[in-house]
Structure formats: C-alpha cells, structure tokens
Amino acid sequence: FSTTTATDIHTAIFNASYNKYVRPSNITYVGIEFHLLSINDMDFKRQIMSSSGWLTVTWEDPRLTWNASTKGDIEYIYTKQDKIWRPELIIDNSVEGMSPLGHDEIFFKVKHTGEVRWEPPGIYVTHCDFNVLYYPFDYQTCSVEVTSFAFTNKAVTFNSVSESTKNLKKNGEWVLHSLRGSKQNLTENGEEFSQVEFKVILKRLSRYYVNNVVYPVVVISLLTNVVFLVPAESGCKISYILTVLLTQAVLLTLIGNSMPTTSIQIPIIAMYISFVLLMAALATIITTLNVYLYLRTDQKAVPRWLKAFTFVVLLRINCRSAKVNEEDKGNVVSNEDTVNVEESNGKGKTMWNRLLAQTKDDAEFPFKCQEVSAFLDCFFFYLFNIVLIITTLVFLVVSAVSDVPPS
C-alpha cells in the first residue's frame, strides 16, 4: 500500500466524468442487511419502538473499477457521500424525522470490482401497533421499514434482504423471538417504490409481572372470601372487608402504573382486576346487610322470601334440616313440599310459590335471624370461592396460552 497509489485511484475513478447525481445503471440492484444491536424502549402510550443498529447496503457501480494488480494490489478505497452516488433511503415508519439515511462523515467502502458498501448506523424510533390484550404474557410485532425514496423500482430495487442478531444486547423486559425481512412495493401517486420491512417479534419476560402484579392481585382477591368466615358477634366483619377493599384499591393504583397506558385494547388482567374489585364491593354490601340481619331486635322477623330461600337453598348448602319445637311439628315443611304438585284443575304450583304460601306465619319458620345469617355466610363463602377461583384460573390460562407468536 502507498498513499500515492491510493490517491491515483481516487483521481482516476472520481474524475470530471463521474457524476454523483447519475445512477450507475438502468436498474441498480441494492442488497440490504439489518444488524440489530438493542431494543431501547417500548412506549405503549405513544405506540413507538426504539431500537439501535445499522444497515449494510451494497450495490454495483461499474464506473468505480480499477485493476488491482497494477495499482499496488489495493483492493479497497474509502470515500464519503459527498463524492459518490448512493440510493436515497429513508425509514418509512419513523416518528422522529423522515430525513434520508446517512451522514457526511460516514465512509463508503469501494471495492476494485465496483462493489460499494455503505453501513449507516442509527437509532430507529418507529411506529408500532401494540396489542396488550394478553399482557403480561404477550408478544409484540414491530417493524423497521426501509424505502427507496427518490427512485422508483424501475431505477432502484432491492434484490437481497438479510438480517443479523449476533451483536444483539440483552434487554431486561423483552427477548427477541425472531427478526425477518421481506421485500414489497410501496405505491405512491401511481408510482411504485421498492421497500424492505424488517419485522421484529418480541416476547415479554413475564416473571417480574407475575411476582409483582399477578400474584398480589390473586392473593388479595382470595382474601375477600374470608370475611364470610368471620363470626358476626366478633364485631370485625365490617372492618375486615373494608380493609380488604381499601387494600385492593391501593394495590390496583400501584399496579396501574406498571400496566400499558393504552385504550386501543384493554388487557385481560385489567378486566380481571376490575372484576375482583367489583366482587370486593359486593362482599362489602352483602356483609353489611348480613350483619344488620344478625343484629335485628326481633329475631323472628325473617323476610318471607328469605324463609323460602332458606328451605330451598341454605339448608341444603349447610346440610341442615328444619328442626322445630314439639308444638310446631304440624307446621313442618316437608321435603315433599319442595317439588311441584298438580292441583285438581291440572295447574302446577312451583316450589318457590308453594313455600312462600306456606311461610306466612312466624311459627312455621324454626330459625332465628342469627341462624339465617350464619347460613348466608356459608352460602356466600362457597359462592364467592367458586366464582373467584374459576375466574382466576380462566384468566391465568387464557393469558398464558392464548397469545402465540405470529407465524
């Protein structure tokens, strides 16, 4: 190598006849490779992905050739973009400026065969349509679109597309599932431009969210049911359920800061959290009414509908029978009274209506308000457990299994 020979090569190929505004041939075929270095940020509110990397762009320019054997075996020279023709490329889906790729200080590597190699680096802030339905077990598909800006596909076209992730740095929240490029055409004003789309498919690392979001919500939701096991005479039922309700409200406020702030799709976990809060509110109302029933002055003043409900449901749930005083045995409601019977005119009375008709007098109902209150606690304990456990299992299974990476 000698500087004199290299200078001679520059002088010979970049002479007065070389025009950097004229493309090398009728159709210039451009190869492009995307090297992904890192995923910097995923902003769900602004719907953008920030990534770092560089593009390796190659093409043939027959005007930039020389005989290496007569030029000191120099196979490569370097020049800058103010002296050489280059394809005008832009990041088509960029949200922070649409200026062409490149910089005045970036070198172009020119081979003696006429091959030009250009590697512009950049931080690509691109638009991304996020789908947070299955957060935090979700996959996200974002893309970096590179388009030939000035030349139509009749002048400049991409003939090879490749990608590389060997230099990719680890991200604490996302792991790369796949990176693939594809060629396509972009039509604008009746003209077609060559375009390459690099799809970046990312999977969220969910361990942090399971430990700090899912697990606390599930545990607090199950604590709601315990209120029905607290004895009414303890005087702690109302204070307990209010404490659970306030705890859920505070926890959900803290969790809301880590959830995606978007209204395009509502995450399943947000629906689950809203449901859990609703169940806690219902438990508060039910507990208040049940304590009111337990503390009634007239312990025989059980509403008629509640008497019927006790015979139809509560006694069976609590595995109890209708025990009455010796003098009231004639008014016992037997098991046969809980089925439909046919009257002489052929019309049937339902179980519910018959029980309502038979519980007109207090003497017919052998339980006090305090006993009915205990029956209700047992009933709602089972009911809330079944509903919350089934809902939680459905939420976990659907969230963890339903979202799959795009094919």
Side-chain angles (χ1 to χ4, degrees):
F1 175 82
S2 70
T3 56
T4 302
T5 305
T7 302
D8 291 341
I9 295 174
H10 274 268
T11 303
I13 62 177
F14 294 112
N15 52 38
S17 64
Y18 184 86
N19 190 338
K20 67 176 183 179
Y21 301 112
V22 179
R23 66 181 185 271
S25 57
N26 182 34
I27 299 180
T28 302
Y29 295 98
V30 177
I32 186 168
E33 182 178 13
F34 180 41
H35 301 261
L36 183 62
L37 282 178
S38 65
I39 302 298
N40 304 324
D41 187 30
M42 302 281 281
D43 192 329
F44 286 84
K45 185 175 183 179
R46 298 173 59 197
Q47 296 279 291
I48 61 174
M49 177 190 72
S50 174
S51 59
S52 298
W54 78 88
L55 297 170
T56 298
V57 186
T58 58
W59 66 92
E60 298 286 341
D61 192 336
R63 299 170 295 177
L64 305 178
T65 60
W66 67 91
N67 189 344
S69 61
T70 62
K71 298 292 185 181
D73 291 329
I74 297 178
E75 295 185 349
Y76 296 97
I77 63 169
Y78 296 88
T79 187
K80 293 188 176 180
Q81 69 180 25
D82 61 336
K83 290 186 177 181
I84 194 172
W85 179 91
R86 62 186 175 91
E88 199 86 347
L89 304 179
I90 64 169
I91 304 299
D92 193 61
N93 60 337
S94 174
V95 297
E96 291 191 356
M98 297 288 288
S99 57
L101 294 177
H103 191 274
D104 293 340
E105 298 303 320
I106 296 177
F107 279 102
F108 288 68
K109 185 178 182 180
V110 183
K111 194 175 181 180
H112 67 97
T113 59
E115 180 187 89
V116 182
R117 187 182 184 92
W118 177 38
E119 296 183 317
I123 297 176
Y124 311 111
V125 183
T126 55
H127 175 76
C128 184
D129 292 322
F130 293 112
N131 185 350
V132 297
L133 182 63
Y134 300 107
Y135 165 89
F137 307 99
D138 52 329
Y139 288 85
Q140 300 298 336
T141 301
C142 300
S143 63
V144 178
E145 299 173 357
V146 183
T147 305
S148 173
F149 180 66
F151 302 95
T152 65
N153 59 2
K154 294 180 180 180
V156 173
T157 185
F158 295 112
N159 67 331
S160 65
V161 179
S162 57
E163 56 282 327
S164 173
T165 59
K166 62 182 180 181
N167 296 310
L168 180 64
K169 304 298 185 296
K170 289 185 178 181
N171 185 280
E173 185 176 2
W174 300 93
V175 60
L176 180 68
H177 178 268
S178 65
L179 171 64
R180 54 178 181 262
S182 61
K183 296 182 292 183
Q184 56 195 27
N185 289 325
L186 177 66
T187 303
E188 292 288 343
N189 299 323
E191 294 182 315
E192 289 189 347
F193 298 86
S194 190
Q195 185 182 69
V196 173
E197 181 182 25
F198 294 99
K199 283 190 176 180
V200 183
I201 301 177
L202 301 168
K203 176 177 174 57
R204 191 192 300 270
L205 298 174
S206 57
R207 184 177 302 174
Y208 169 83
Y209 297 96
V210 170
N211 292 335
N212 294 277
V213 177
V214 178
Y215 178 71
V217 170
V218 172
V219 171
I220 294 297
S221 68
L222 296 179
L223 289 179
T224 301
N225 309 330
V226 181
V227 68
F228 300 112
L229 298 180
V230 178
E233 60 269 17
S234 68
C236 299
K237 289 177 74 75
I238 301 296
S239 60
Y240 174 85
I241 190 59
L242 288 177
T243 302
V244 172
L245 181 63
L246 292 175
T247 301
Q248 288 189 3
V250 173
L251 178 63
L252 300 185
T253 301
L254 297 176
I255 291 175
N257 296 329
S258 64
M259 293 182 62
T261 53
T262 175
S263 298
I264 298 177
Q265 289 98 12
I266 304 299
I268 292 177
I269 188 173
M271 303 178 194
Y272 173 75
I273 290 174
S274 299
F275 177 78
V276 167
L277 192 60
L278 175 63
M279 292 295 287
L282 287 175
T284 303
I285 296 173
I286 292 171
T287 300
T288 303
L289 295 176
N290 205 18
V291 170
Y292 173 77
L293 176 66
Y294 183 88
L295 297 177
R296 293 191 75 165
T297 305
D298 186 0
Q299 286 291 304
K300 286 291 185 178
V302 180
R304 286 181 55 197
W305 67 268
L306 189 53
K307 295 177 182 178
F309 186 70
T310 301
F311 284 120
V312 175
V313 177
L314 298 184
L315 291 181
R316 297 181 182 183
I317 295 294
N318 289 268
C319 300
R320 295 287 298 275
S321 60
K323 296 185 294 182
V324 297
N325 297 327
E326 190 69 25
E327 62 272 14
D328 293 329
K329 282 187 177 180
N331 297 322
V332 171
V333 180
S334 64
N335 290 334
E336 287 76 9
D337 292 325
T338 63
V339 296
N340 291 345
V341 294
E342 292 291 330
E343 294 182 342
S344 57
N345 58 1
K347 295 182 180 180
K349 269 192 175 182
T350 65
M351 169 179 58
W352 185 261
N353 291 335
R354 187 170 179 81
L355 285 171
L356 285 175
Q358 291 183 345
T359 53
K360 291 181 180 180
D361 300 326
D362 289 341
E364 298 178 7
F365 191 72
F367 303 108
K368 297 180 179 180
C369 289
Q370 292 182 351
E371 294 176 288
V372 176
S373 174
F375 295 161
L376 287 172
D377 275 337
C378 182
F379 168 74
F380 283 113
F381 176 74
Y382 290 139
L383 178 64
F384 271 61
N385 269 291
I386 292 172
V387 171
L388 283 174
I389 290 175
I390 292 177
T391 304
T392 301
L393 290 176
V394 170
F395 155 68
L396 293 175
V397 171
V398 170
S399 298
V401 175
S402 295
D403 199 21
V404 295
S407 57

